[in-house]
Amino acid sequence: MRRLLTLLTVFVCSFLLTALSSAEITLRMSVWDGDKALETIKAIAKNFEKENPGIKVRIENYDYTLYHQKMVITYAAGVAPDVVMMDGSHYQFLAARGALLPLNQFFEKSPGFDINEFYKPIVDSYTYKGDLYILPRDIAPIGLIYYNKKIFEELNIPFPDGTWTWDFHVRPELRDKDFLWVCQQMAKKDKDGRYTRWGFAPFDYGNFAENLALQLGALRYDNIAEPTKSLMDAPNRIKAYQFASDFSNKLHLGPSNSDAAGSLMMTTQQMFVQQKIGMYQCGIWEVPNMRKMLKPGSPEWFDWDIALAPSHAGPGGVKKFTTGGSGYAIMASTKNKEAAWKLTSYFSGPPGMTAMAKAGIAQPAIRPLALQKGLWLPGPETPIEEQFPKNRIITDTATEFVQFDPTSEFHISVSDRQNKGLELLWNGQTTAEKILKENQIQAQDRLDILRAQHDLPDFNWIVAAIIAAIFIGSILFYIYWPERGKKGTQMQVEETRSSYKFLSPWLIGMVAFTLGPMILALLMSFADWDMIRTAKWRGTQNFVEAFTTDPTFWKSLTITAIYTFLSVAISICGALGLALLLNQKIKGVALFRTLYYIPSITSGVAAALIWMRVFNPEKGLLNYILYGPDGKWALGESLSVSIMGEATKRVDWLQTEKTALIALIIMSAWGIGGGTVIFLAGLQGIPQHYYEAATLDGAGNMAKFKAVTLPLLSPTIFFSSITGIIGAFQAFTQAFVMTQGGPNDATRFFVYHIFGNAFQSARMGYASALGWVLFVIIMFFTLVQMKLSKRFVYYEAEAK
Amino acid sequence: MAVATKHSPEDYKKSAQRAQNTAKVLRGLMWVALLIGVVASLIPFYLMLVMSLKTPGEIAASSVWEMPKVMQWSNYSKVLQNQNAPFFMFFRNSMIISTTATIGVLLSSSMVAYAFARLKFRGRDRMFNILLSTMMLPGIVTMVPQYVLWKYLGWIDTFYPLTIPAFFGGGAYNIFLLRQFLMGIPRDIDEAALLDGANHSTIFWRFMMPNMGPALATVGIFCFIYNWRDFQGPLIILNSPEKQTLELGLQTYRAMNQNQWELLMAGSVIVLIPILILFFVGQRFFVKGIVMTGIK
């Protein structure tokens, strides 16, 4: 009997167990890795699924530039992934709002897990107010220089041993101990005086400048964890940033941004591979790419290695490098905490990191793994193509000198202002002093506003309800008051009833999707709300901020207005002219009509990509036309002098403050085919007998156009200009894809400004206020046009 | 004061001949101008196509005009086979969203337009003004509150926010166009039908809908293209890679493959082809339909 019972229990238990385990869990995990690293990530996930039956993993990959906004809004919407890749400059925003789970509770009870095995600096930087939020996966000090051994041998310079220093000028007396001297030796020019080889380039000049600033002891904030002051205009920071710009633009020791991305259309990494630069600064993550492009034995191959980057030599100079590095965090919204931890510790732990290290993608944050020969460091059995770079031990040395990003929840939003317009500096179009002082003011304003959030009162629902009631009341009043108390006949009542039947879809949609959200937006415009915390009451402060302290408000409004008027004017004149031509009896006119229409249906992103090539300084179509095939036409040269300030530089349309907006206006003219169709329809609606009558009266072509075409077409012009202005005021996609609002906010359209505040800085209240301002502006312009139209627009019906 | 001069029939003939000649020359000039314009506006497409068939080395070294030495068709298969940016899936998603939204718009906007064009009810004109004023409302204003609404409905990362609203009104612009068209249909039809005891839904379905063909086709194509090209909506609402539309997917692909222009251009071509096909199939409705709706 007892046996039977035991058997039965075992049976039931095993049944329950299988039932439980077959209740499969799916964990969603989001990453921002590029195409290449994704393969490894997916392979690790497959292994995890094998070792943990019952758990499925779904990898979601996002664009890094939108990654953090996505995490914030998906968390706010309750659809966030379970495990998310995170980095040191973005997690604090989520951690401060309780959106990430503190990991201490998990690792403290995980047997065999030792947090002390991880590099300490990265653990410290992922700890927010005493709790660890990201389990570090890799550490990637950007204190490495990839160097081309062949060039060093050619110039008879010994390979770098990491003891380099640099100062603000070349020091020939130090020879190869001076970094700048080495760079200078490597530079090469062709017979026209154009550089064909440079000494050094960083993967990103912003990062290069930041490294220099750190070495001069200039930090971004007075306190990186609890900042009260942004320090973008500190003298040493200005000095460092100016030097980073001069390095390429004045000293020509490296290719400038426009040399690299512009003329050669390649990243500085590609330049290194093609031996156009001797040294390249970046984190270790580029190794798989390098190995792929420089296969031993291939014609491209040359011997290369890595060395510790130089540090500043002057007094007070410290050895400091910025760093990459990332890890995995668990969203507080996950329903499977334990499984999520399993996955996190698998990916950041030995199983995941072994695979990542072997692929050469990431230096493990677990130090024993990072030091293991044959894994991260090359060992005797490492295949030849994975031997490079040999000197990988310095990735360990470099971690002593890393400085992590600021660790406050405000940094994402403030850094948007701190780094504004720096691309102009790297192109040599402005000075560090000018741009950093401007950025400092905006960054400090932003920081003050964000810091004040905590002290705001709760959202005032009573006032909000009153505002909403007034809004709804005035609409109803407008519709029904003039006809109040009218009694209809039986038939009229019937007709009203069936009218409402027909209107019902619209009425529902209007209330639910337009009017309701509009009122909510109006209420939100009085709030301070980040989508996660409860809303606070800011009263009219959002509007006051817009009109008084937000410098980008006026700037973006101005450029949007300029864009709108010019692009609408061009498109109306162009479309009218084109329609007149297309209305003639010409051979193949139907085909012409079709072909002209094509650009206006082109996908916005694809169009933006093509036009980026058209505006490219060296290989672009526009400059090809302006400068001629040999690049020596006078028109181009005078343009260069007046816009770029130098006769030898070609206009970099999208990267120059003065021309970026013009470029977008030119691009908008490409879409005139859309307006042409409407004008064509208008032209075809003009009765032919008007023209016949005019001909009989002896009118010439010009007179006919003035007396017949224009007046009869005026309603079409009116219609086109109204819809054109409404559309142009909302321009967004071009700026989003092509310029990201830059350079220096020169194409930060108003809608982009709203978008940035709403989704990049998570300031929904302020964004709503801006949205309402835009609505009122558009309404104003439409009403003005309506008023003017009474004078200029000719309606046939009225004349009859 | 005009002085009458005598003209012989010869003179008339001559001047007629001259006028004809001028007209011919003029027409020739116009044709050339149109041709130049067309070539100019299609050049970007040529550049895109050429670049999509080059190797990265050729893009860096050769002139923009030059044809590739060997056509790199593999660029296209590389793009299409990318596991992380499933273009076929993007195409399917764009298709589903655009088609559903277009059906919704056609159904609901024609109903609403009918009421505004042919029925009398209290507050009609002012209600129509309200409708028109929503045309001026920037999408970004309602974006955040709508997002909150989708969140409560559990619609984030689904196609619903991009399709369902189309069934409720269908957009002021479309209603406006269809109303213009309906106002042009003679009133006698309704009156006769009403006398025969028909109600308004019969009139709408039996008499109006069949007559609205060209106008519906125009609105339908406009609406389809609008939804196909929509970027901001999917950008905010769709998160999962396999739910993205072509337009958004291209941007996602671009983010993963910065600076690989041959692939980006191949991707752009892939994104453009379906909409071009649709346009060529439906193009006769564009001009014709717009004339009939009589935009004014």
Side-chain angles (χ1 to χ4, degrees):
Chain A
M1 187 67 202
R2 209 176 181 180
R3 219 189 208 171
L4 200 71
L5 253 177
T6 328
L7 251 171
L8 203 71
T9 323
V10 168
F11 182 75
V12 167
C13 277
S14 62
F15 179 77
L16 270 177
L17 265 175
T18 39
L20 273 177
S21 61
S22 71
E24 204 166 70
I25 301 172
T26 299
L27 288 178
R28 288 167 56 214
M29 175 168 171
S30 63
V31 298
W32 65 71
D33 287 289
D35 239 0
K36 307 250 157 46
L38 259 182
E39 290 161 23
T40 314
I41 300 259
K42 285 190 171 166
I44 300 171
K46 277 263 156 350
N47 282 337
F48 177 81
E49 286 175 348
K50 242 183 256 158
E51 288 173 32
N52 295 277
I55 307 181
K56 284 256 167 289
V57 182
R58 224 183 71 137
I59 305 287
E60 295 172 8
N61 185 45
Y62 298 106
D63 171 5
Y64 182 74
T65 50
L66 282 174
Y67 185 87
H68 295 279
Q69 291 94 286
K70 276 281 182 194
M71 292 307 118
V72 172
I73 63 175
T74 51
Y75 178 78
V79 292
D82 302 278
V83 176
V84 296
M85 188 170 170
M86 271 286 144
D87 67 15
S89 52
H90 292 88
Y91 80 96
Q92 299 88 353
F93 181 91
L94 290 165
R97 285 160 179 77
L100 298 178
L101 289 181
L103 299 179
N104 307 44
Q105 48 175 326
F106 298 109
F107 70 70
E108 276 161 10
K109 56 183 191 204
S110 296
F113 184 96
D114 184 6
I115 194 72
N116 296 319
E117 285 188 342
F118 290 78
Y119 283 105
K120 193 168 180 308
I122 197 164
V123 172
D124 288 348
S125 120
Y126 291 172
T127 302
Y128 182 78
K129 306 208 164 144
D131 284 314
L132 182 75
Y133 283 95
I134 310 179
L135 192 59
R137 143 187 139 165
D138 64 318
I139 182 164
I142 312 176
L144 317 177
I145 282 190
Y146 295 72
Y147 67 94
N148 182 330
K149 285 191 176 174
K150 207 174 116 197
I151 297 181
F152 274 82
E153 276 164 359
E154 171 197 317
L155 296 170
N156 246 331
I157 300 173
F159 297 145
D161 57 2
T163 56
W164 276 334
T165 53
W166 63 273
D167 205 346
F168 290 95
H169 51 86
V170 182
R171 297 163 298 168
E173 68 282 4
L174 290 181
R175 313 259 322 161
D176 57 87
K177 297 284 166 222
D178 179 33
F179 176 64
L180 299 190
W181 182 83
V182 176
C183 293
Q184 202 180 35
Q185 300 307 306
M186 289 183 176
K188 242 197 199 158
K189 286 184 194 176
D190 64 8
K191 57 181 186 323
D192 296 334
R194 295 177 90 157
Y195 283 90
T196 54
R197 191 172 79 189
W198 291 269
F200 163 88
F203 76 109
D204 171 52
Y205 271 99
N207 179 268
F208 181 50
E210 194 62 32
N211 265 346
L212 301 183
L214 287 179
Q215 296 181 4
L216 294 177
L219 297 180
R220 277 180 179 244
Y221 298 98
D222 55 345
N223 179 339
I224 58 167
E226 310 246 339
T228 61
K229 284 209 160 48
S230 163
L231 301 175
M232 287 310 277
D233 59 349
N236 272 352
R237 183 162 280 271
I238 291 177
K239 217 168 148 189
Y241 273 57
Q242 187 60 50
F243 180 68
S245 168
D246 291 346
F247 183 83
S248 59
N249 294 304
K250 287 230 175 75
L251 301 171
H252 301 289
L253 296 173
S256 70
N257 245 18
S258 44
D259 285 324
S263 325
L264 302 162
M265 280 313 279
M266 52 173 93
T267 57
T268 42
Q269 187 207 359
Q270 285 164 320
M271 292 180 74
F272 177 75
V273 171
Q274 299 189 10
Q275 309 203 37
K276 288 187 192 306
I277 48 174
M279 294 175 283
Y280 169 63
Q281 181 171 27
C282 190
I284 197 70
W285 59 82
E286 289 296 356
V287 165
N289 266 335
M290 294 278 195
R291 282 183 192 161
K292 210 179 140 198
M293 290 189 275
L294 293 174
K295 286 207 177 89
S298 68
E300 294 85 27
W301 187 81
F302 56 82
D303 200 0
W304 59 284
D305 207 344
I306 51 177
L308 203 63
S311 53
H312 179 53
V318 279
K319 204 168 205 155
K320 275 266 178 241
F321 305 117
T322 58
T323 175
S326 56
Y328 298 100
I330 303 175
M331 280 283 191
S333 52
T334 181
K335 292 196 181 70
N336 303 297
K337 289 183 187 171
E338 293 302 326
W341 166 248
K342 246 187 204 167
L343 184 66
T344 306
S345 54
Y346 190 87
F347 262 87
S348 278
M353 286 323 295
T354 307
M356 294 292 270
K358 271 205 169 137
I361 298 162
Q363 170 185 4
I366 302 175
R367 193 160 184 228
L369 276 186
L371 290 176
Q372 198 178 316
K373 284 239 158 69
L375 185 64
W376 174 246
L377 302 180
E381 271 133 58
T382 312
I384 173 92
E385 63 271 14
E386 283 170 24
Q387 290 276 346
F388 298 93
K390 294 191 173 121
N391 193 15
R392 252 171 283 171
I393 185 73
I394 58 144
T395 55
D396 183 65
T397 324
T399 50
E400 280 175 47
F401 310 111
V402 298
Q403 167 81 43
F404 275 89
D405 285 313
T407 55
S408 78
E409 56 167 304
F410 311 125
H411 182 59
I412 312 176
S413 181
V414 176
S415 64
D416 171 56
R417 294 294 95 197
Q418 288 183 328
N419 299 335
K420 165 190 79 76
L422 290 180
E423 57 277 15
L424 291 181
L425 182 59
W426 313 142
N427 284 339
Q429 295 176 29
T430 187
T431 62
E433 175 149 17
K434 187 162 168 268
I435 194 92
L436 288 183
K437 285 207 161 141
E438 197 181 303
N439 290 4
Q440 165 62 20
I441 294 170
Q442 296 194 13
Q444 188 62 47
D445 276 351
R446 181 65 64 82
L447 182 61
D448 291 342
I449 289 168
L450 294 176
R451 273 166 34 87
Q453 279 175 335
H454 282 282
D455 310 324
L456 291 171
D458 288 341
F459 193 73
N460 193 334
W461 287 103
I462 299 168
V463 177
I466 294 171
I467 294 171
I470 292 174
F471 189 84
I472 298 169
S474 46
I475 288 179
L476 291 176
F477 178 86
Y478 168 76
I479 295 175
Y480 292 112
W481 184 256
E483 288 179 65
R484 68 195 176 277
K486 242 196 211 166
K487 275 245 166 96
T489 60
Q490 176 67 30
M491 222 166 102
Q492 280 167 332
V493 171
E494 204 115 292
E495 192 162 333
T496 304
R497 197 170 298 152
S498 45
S499 303
Y500 277 96
K501 247 186 247 162
F502 277 98
L503 288 177
S504 58
W506 173 66
L507 286 174
I508 295 170
M510 178 80 181
V511 170
F513 304 131
T514 309
L515 222 47
M518 234 173 115
I519 293 169
L520 269 178
L522 184 63
L523 301 187
M524 273 163 58
S525 67
F526 297 100
D528 184 294
W529 189 44
D530 58 20
M531 295 191 76
I532 298 178
R533 287 181 178 143
T534 49
K536 301 261 185 140
W537 181 257
R538 212 171 168 222
T540 53
Q541 277 307 304
N542 282 326
F543 295 97
V544 173
E545 185 190 334
F547 288 102
T548 58
T549 56
D550 180 1
T552 33
F553 172 83
W554 291 110
K555 188 165 182 181
S556 73
L557 199 55
T558 316
I559 61 148
T560 311
I562 294 173
Y563 174 81
T564 300
F565 292 117
L566 286 180
S567 72
V568 170
I570 290 172
S571 84
I572 286 183
C573 295
L576 177 59
L578 191 57
L580 287 172
L581 285 179
L582 288 175
N583 201 33
Q584 306 294 325
K585 290 189 187 67
I586 299 179
K587 219 181 258 171
V589 81
L591 183 65
F592 278 132
R593 281 177 197 164
T594 310
L595 293 179
Y596 273 112
Y597 198 78
I598 290 177
S600 66
I601 57 162
T602 304
S603 128
V605 177
L609 287 174
I610 308 172
W611 280 87
M612 279 172 81
R613 294 298 315 221
V614 172
F615 292 127
N616 182 259
E618 202 79 13
K619 286 244 134 79
L621 182 66
L622 188 59
N623 278 357
Y624 190 87
I625 295 167
L626 294 172
Y627 288 81
D630 56 352
K632 301 223 164 81
W633 287 11
L635 177 63
E637 198 169 304
S638 64
L639 261 180
S640 289
V641 174
S642 64
I643 296 174
M644 305 299 286
E646 253 180 80
T648 50
K649 265 193 178 168
R650 293 183 172 209
V651 179
D652 190 350
W653 292 92
L654 292 173
Q655 289 292 323
T656 306
E657 206 172 0
K658 278 186 216 156
T659 55
L661 188 63
I662 299 173
L664 294 189
I665 292 170
I666 294 175
M667 181 182 156
S668 79
W670 195 46
I672 58 169
T676 307
V677 182
I678 293 176
F679 278 101
L680 211 48
L683 283 174
Q684 296 193 342
I686 299 176
Q688 207 53 40
H689 60 85
Y690 284 16
Y691 288 110
E692 284 156 15
T695 316
L696 284 181
D697 286 347
N701 280 337
M702 208 50 218
K704 271 192 237 167
F705 176 72
K706 266 193 194 155
V708 182
T709 313
L710 217 46
L712 286 175
L713 216 51
S714 58
T716 315
I717 298 174
F718 174 58
F719 176 85
S720 296
S721 69
I722 283 196
T723 52
I725 287 180
I726 292 174
F729 257 113
Q730 300 182 48
F732 173 77
T733 309
Q734 319 88 302
F736 182 81
V737 179
M738 296 169 74
T739 58
Q740 288 80 52
N744 200 18
D745 291 341
T747 57
R748 195 177 170 99
F749 289 131
F750 204 74
V751 169
Y752 195 95
H753 188 48
I754 298 176
F755 181 87
N757 272 295
F759 294 104
Q760 290 170 342
S761 299
R763 299 187 63 206
M764 298 298 162
Y766 186 55
S768 299
L770 292 177
W772 262 85
V773 170
L774 180 61
F775 179 44
V776 170
I777 291 171
I778 293 179
M779 195 108 108
F780 170 78
F781 279 108
T782 311
L783 289 178
V784 167
Q785 285 185 85
M786 297 262 196
K787 275 265 168 326
L788 287 177
S789 80
K790 295 227 165 72
R791 220 181 296 165
F792 298 111
V793 177
Y794 170 83
Y795 283 105
E796 241 179 307
E798 286 165 19
K800 269 175 198 163
Chain B
M1 217 169 86
V3 180
T5 44
K6 260 194 174 175
H7 288 292
S8 67
E10 288 293 272
D11 286 342
Y12 278 118
K13 220 175 172 181
K14 259 191 199 156
S15 78
Q17 186 69 42
R18 215 177 302 139
Q20 238 172 29
N21 284 342
T22 347
K24 229 182 200 169
V25 170
L26 211 63
R27 222 172 283 161
L29 284 177
M30 282 181 192
W31 193 83
V32 172
L34 280 177
L35 188 70
I36 292 173
V38 155
V39 170
S41 69
L42 295 185
I43 277 178
F45 291 107
Y46 168 78
L47 297 183
M48 175 168 86
L49 204 63
V50 168
M51 217 184 301
S52 75
L53 293 168
K54 285 184 178 175
T55 63
E58 275 178 299
I59 292 180
S62 67
S63 117
V64 285
W65 305 105
E66 232 170 275
M67 290 294 282
K69 286 195 192 70
V70 182
M71 300 280 183
Q72 302 290 328
W73 295 108
S74 61
N75 288 342
Y76 284 85
S77 52
K78 248 187 230 164
V79 173
L80 289 175
Q81 282 163 9
N82 188 311
Q83 297 289 312
N84 304 316
F87 273 83
F88 289 112
M89 202 71 118
F90 296 159
F91 172 76
R92 193 197 69 137
N93 298 339
S94 284
M95 231 25 212
I96 294 175
I97 290 171
S98 305
T99 313
T100 319
T102 306
I103 294 171
V105 164
L106 292 181
L107 280 177
S108 68
S109 63
S110 56
M111 276 172 71
V112 179
Y114 176 76
F116 278 120
R118 306 187 76 89
L119 296 177
K120 277 201 201 82
F121 51 93
R122 204 192 278 181
R124 182 186 71 180
D125 294 343
R126 287 179 298 278
M127 216 184 261
F128 189 67
N129 282 347
I130 300 262
L131 171 89
L132 284 187
S133 66
T134 59
M135 250 159 82
M136 292 171 244
L137 183 71
I140 190 111
V141 176
T142 50
M143 188 182 274
V144 176
Q146 277 180 350
Y147 190 85
V148 178
L149 178 67
W150 310 144
K151 170 193 157 178
Y152 282 114
L153 294 171
W155 284 6
I156 303 294
D157 203 22
T158 67
F159 294 164
Y160 299 130
L162 303 169
T163 51
I164 302 290
F167 288 86
F168 292 92
Y173 189 77
N174 300 320
I175 296 174
F176 175 76
L177 286 184
L178 291 178
R179 170 179 171 269
Q180 293 288 100
F181 181 81
L182 282 172
M183 279 172 36
I185 296 178
R187 287 217 156 254
D188 340 352
I189 304 179
D190 328 22
E191 276 154 22
L194 279 176
L195 281 181
D196 284 350
N199 59 20
H200 284 287
S201 27
T202 322
I203 298 175
F204 175 70
W205 289 109
R206 296 276 294 282
F207 300 107
M208 293 301 149
M209 273 307 225
N211 279 311
M212 269 164 47
L216 285 180
T218 308
V219 169
I221 291 177
F222 271 134
C223 172
F224 190 92
I225 290 178
Y226 175 84
N227 281 288
W228 190 273
R229 297 184 59 197
D230 189 17
F231 178 68
Q232 227 176 52
L235 176 69
I236 303 220
I237 287 157
L238 303 177
N239 298 317
S240 313
E242 75 277 2
K243 282 184 187 152
Q244 296 185 352
T245 59
L246 271 177
E247 188 78 7
L248 185 58
L250 182 60
Q251 170 71 9
T252 308
Y253 184 77
R254 181 204 165 193
M256 288 191 298
N257 295 283
Q258 291 282 1
N259 277 312
Q260 292 186 280
W261 283 92
E262 71 289 357
L263 301 183
L264 294 180
M265 288 294 133
S268 301
V269 173
I270 293 169
V271 169
L272 280 182
I273 288 173
I275 197 78
L276 283 181
I277 292 175
L278 175 89
F279 172 68
F280 278 107
V281 170
Q283 54 138 328
R284 67 198 177 92
F285 291 109
F286 276 86
V287 177
K288 214 175 171 188
I290 294 169
V291 176
M292 297 182 92
T293 49
I295 291 171
K296 273 182 185 176

